[in-house]
Amino acid sequence: GAKSNGKKIEMKTEALTSMSWLQLFIVLLSLIAGIFTPPILSFLNVEETLFSTKLKNDHATKVSSSAKIEKKLPDIPPLPSRVLCNEETLSQFLHKSPVNGLHIVCFDQMEPSSADNEEEDKVRLTFYADAVAEGKEQITISKKDLKWDRLKTTLAVELELEHPGPLQQPWAVFTTEGERIVGVEDVLTTDLSSTKSEMFIVESLLASNTVVLTGGGKWVWPGVKVGFKREVELYSIMPGDVSSHPNTTTIIETLSLSPLVLSVHKFLSDEECGHVRMRSEPSMKYSKVTLKDTDIGKEASEWRTSQNTFLRSDGDAVMRDLEYRTASLTRVPRGHQEHLQVLRYGNTEFYSAHHDFFDPAHYRQDKNTLKLIQNGKRNRMATVFWYLSDVEEGGETIFPLHNGLPFPRSFKDCSRGLKVKPEKGKVIIFYSLDAAGHMDEKSLHGACPVKEGIKWAANKWVWNDAVGYL
């Protein structure tokens, strides 16, 4: 019994000893865990926080980028309407004889051939230099290489365009309706919502299909042929301006190609004609002229016996609207116009044949005129001539060099040339500069003597650059 009890006590002692070591191990393990667990947990928490923050930031960036894209898409300007480069379209722009500085270009997107699905998209460019069918040339460009820098070089080479310089305005490209797309010296932007972004310009050229390029950089209506009539929308295209006036249409008819003279019937209402006459009458005085170097010291009456005055549009809604209408008609910004000149011709009064442009060679002693025209780079490009009354007899506007006629012996001669009879409400447009921006000697014109009645007229001189009058 005593032996048995001794064994039990020994076993209990071993068990207690083993338990003590186990407890000690657990205590030490707990102590170690207590020391290192907080930093580890803290580190893990930091990593998790950083990762979560990164996910949130990445998600926020994606959402933000998506939001920006969604925000910009509605702001992308609408592309021009497509005008197919077909026979019907070309008949409205091509001429039998070359027109200096006027060019037609077609951008046709070519479908890849079915035989090779990997063939890249290409664009075929067709050039009608000087607006004649005989000038047709074609080249093909890969669509992915269709960048404006390359395009403008290609256009300049193929059409032999003059490089802009001290005496040459930069050339420009327009839709077939006369809305400007881009000019060779335009500064482009990366803003996709801008009409000056490269993407918008290239897409506009492709969308238009048919475009018009002028070497002088300003729109000139193609005459096509004598008697050609073109329907033109007014106020829908307002170069450099916005108008709340509802769109209207008018008909432009070609009276002459050499010089280019266009007629627009019922451009002015009877009320508008009366308003201009009423406003101008109190300030009418006998006209003066800007004398050439060879004419200094002579009296203006040697060339001109009419009366005139200049009217500003400030505070006059009728006059302001007529300026906007003229800008829309010519597709040249309103800021390129001078103030309206109003004219009155009594019995026998006339204006000898003259040019409206300023030839710098004739004004070398007139420093003010040379400064105004920037030695020839800036000039009057077109005259929009308004007839404010009917005339019983005489008073025609004459173009003595019409269709290649020789210079008249007398600039007062009204016996030959194209003569336009005054008709109340009608306007004519004649171009002093051709589409290349060069002075057109054939634009020589005058006012024949009034034989019966009184002739009321007015004109808007339109320049090839902003002149600061308006």
Side-chain angles (χ1 to χ4, degrees), residues 257-308:
L257 294 175
S258 177
L260 181 56
V261 184
L262 311 172
S263 174
V264 188
H265 287 270
K266 299 300 181 184
F267 184 77
L268 305 165
S269 69
D270 287 351
E271 292 76 17
E272 289 167 337
C273 291
H275 179 83
V276 174
R277 288 169 56 175
M278 179 271 295
R279 269 209 57 193
S280 62
E281 195 156 18
S283 57
M284 298 294 288
K285 296 180 181 179
Y286 279 99
S287 307
K288 298 180 180 180
V289 295
T290 302
L291 297 174
K292 299 178 182 179
D293 293 345
T294 55
D295 297 324
I296 293 175
K298 296 180 181 180
E299 292 294 327
S301 59
E302 291 189 33
W303 299 274
R304 185 179 191 181
T305 58
S306 62
Q307 298 179 56
N308 78 328

Side-chain angles (χ1 to χ4, degrees), residues 41-234:
L41 291 176
S42 177
F43 173 76
L44 290 175
N45 286 337
V46 169
E47 285 289 300
E48 182 181 8
T49 302
L50 291 172
F51 183 69
S52 298
T53 302
K54 184 177 185 304
L55 284 177
K56 289 177 182 177
N57 288 341
D58 288 348
H59 178 69
T61 300
K62 289 177 181 177
V63 170
S64 175
S65 299
S66 177
K68 286 179 181 177
I69 292 172
E70 290 176 2
K71 183 179 179 182
K72 282 186 176 181
L73 283 176
D75 293 336
I76 294 177
L79 294 171
S81 299
R82 185 175 182 81
V83 178
L84 294 177
C85 187
N86 54 25
E87 186 176 347
E88 181 182 358
T89 297
L90 293 174
S91 68
Q92 301 177 50
F93 296 93
L94 297 184
H95 302 61
K96 288 186 177 180
S97 299
V99 181
N100 188 37
L102 183 67
H103 313 286
I104 313 302
V105 184
C106 301
F107 290 80
D108 292 300
Q109 300 189 62
M110 303 170 64
E111 297 293 334
S113 62
S114 57
D116 186 2
N117 293 328
E118 295 183 359
E119 182 182 352
E120 60 186 15
D121 292 344
K122 294 181 180 179
V123 177
R124 182 177 62 239
L125 274 65
T126 306
F127 305 93
Y128 295 92
D130 293 328
V132 288
E134 289 74 15
K136 180 178 178 180
E137 296 287 346
Q138 289 184 329
I139 64 170
T140 302
I141 299 178
S142 170
K143 188 175 180 181
K144 69 179 182 180
D145 295 330
L146 207 63
K147 308 297 182 184
W148 175 235
D149 277 345
R150 177 176 178 180
L151 266 179
K152 65 183 181 182
T153 300
T154 301
L155 291 169
V157 171
E158 294 293 330
L159 299 173
E160 299 182 1
L161 301 174
E162 292 183 64
H163 188 74
L167 299 178
Q168 178 64 38
Q169 295 285 346
W171 54 263
V173 184
F174 302 83
T175 68
T176 55
E177 288 295 323
E179 188 166 12
R180 190 177 186 276
I181 298 175
V182 64
V184 64
E185 290 192 338
D186 286 6
V187 178
L188 305 189
T189 176
T190 57
D191 181 4
L192 297 181
S193 66
S194 171
T195 56
K196 294 300 182 185
S197 71
E198 181 175 47
M199 184 192 78
F200 181 81
I201 289 168
V202 171
E203 290 299 326
S204 292
L205 296 172
L206 292 174
S208 298
N209 195 178
T210 310
V211 299
V212 178
L213 188 151
T214 62
K218 297 297 175 290
W219 178 258
V220 173
W221 285 110
V224 182
K225 60 183 178 180
V226 173
F228 178 80
K229 295 182 179 180
R230 185 191 306 274
E231 186 176 278
V232 173
E233 287 193 6
L234 299 178

Side-chain angles (χ1 to χ4, degrees), residues 184-393:
V184 64
E185 290 192 338
D186 286 6
V187 178
L188 305 189
T189 176
T190 57
D191 181 4
L192 297 181
S193 66
S194 171
T195 56
K196 294 300 182 185
S197 71
E198 181 175 47
M199 184 192 78
F200 181 81
I201 289 168
V202 171
E203 290 299 326
S204 292
L205 296 172
L206 292 174
S208 298
N209 195 178
T210 310
V211 299
V212 178
L213 188 151
T214 62
K218 297 297 175 290
W219 178 258
V220 173
W221 285 110
V224 182
K225 60 183 178 180
V226 173
F228 178 80
K229 295 182 179 180
R230 185 191 306 274
E231 186 176 278
V232 173
E233 287 193 6
L234 299 178
Y235 298 104
S236 61
I237 296 178
M238 295 294 298
D241 281 304
V242 177
S243 173
S244 59
H245 196 289
N247 294 348
T248 61
T249 59
T250 191
I251 302 294
I252 294 178
E253 180 180 357
T254 302
L255 301 183
S256 167
L257 294 175
S258 177
L260 181 56
V261 184
L262 311 172
S263 174
V264 188
H265 287 270
K266 299 300 181 184
F267 184 77
L268 305 165
S269 69
D270 287 351
E271 292 76 17
E272 289 167 337
C273 291
H275 179 83
V276 174
R277 288 169 56 175
M278 179 271 295
R279 269 209 57 193
S280 62
E281 195 156 18
S283 57
M284 298 294 288
K285 296 180 181 179
Y286 279 99
S287 307
K288 298 180 180 180
V289 295
T290 302
L291 297 174
K292 299 178 182 179
D293 293 345
T294 55
D295 297 324
I296 293 175
K298 296 180 181 180
E299 292 294 327
S301 59
E302 291 189 33
W303 299 274
R304 185 179 191 181
T305 58
S306 62
Q307 298 179 56
N308 78 328
T309 190
F310 287 88
L311 292 184
R312 302 176 67 95
S313 63
D314 303 345
D316 189 326
V318 174
M319 295 291 297
R320 182 63 59 92
D321 180 60
L322 290 175
E323 289 177 348
Y324 284 126
R325 196 183 310 167
T326 299
S328 184
L329 175 67
T330 59
R331 303 310 202 230
V332 179
R334 174 175 164 270
H336 292 220
Q337 299 174 20
E338 292 186 41
H339 295 302
L340 182 69
Q341 178 184 217
V342 185
L343 304 158
R344 182 172 62 193
Y345 293 84
N347 190 38
T348 72
E349 292 182 338
F350 66 94
Y351 193 172
S352 296
H354 59 282
H355 291 107
D356 280 353
F357 61 68
F358 296 96
D359 185 343
H362 296 159
Y363 295 93
R364 297 194 186 281
Q365 298 180 44
D366 188 343
K367 302 301 180 184
N368 290 331
T369 297
L370 289 177
K371 181 179 180 180
L372 176 67
I373 65 175
Q374 296 178 347
N375 296 310
K377 182 174 184 177
R378 187 166 67 178
N379 222 321
R380 290 172 176 165
M381 64 164 285
T383 300
V384 183
F385 197 84
W386 308 358
Y387 295 105
L388 304 178
S389 70
D390 296 318
V391 179
E392 286 80 354
E393 187 179 358

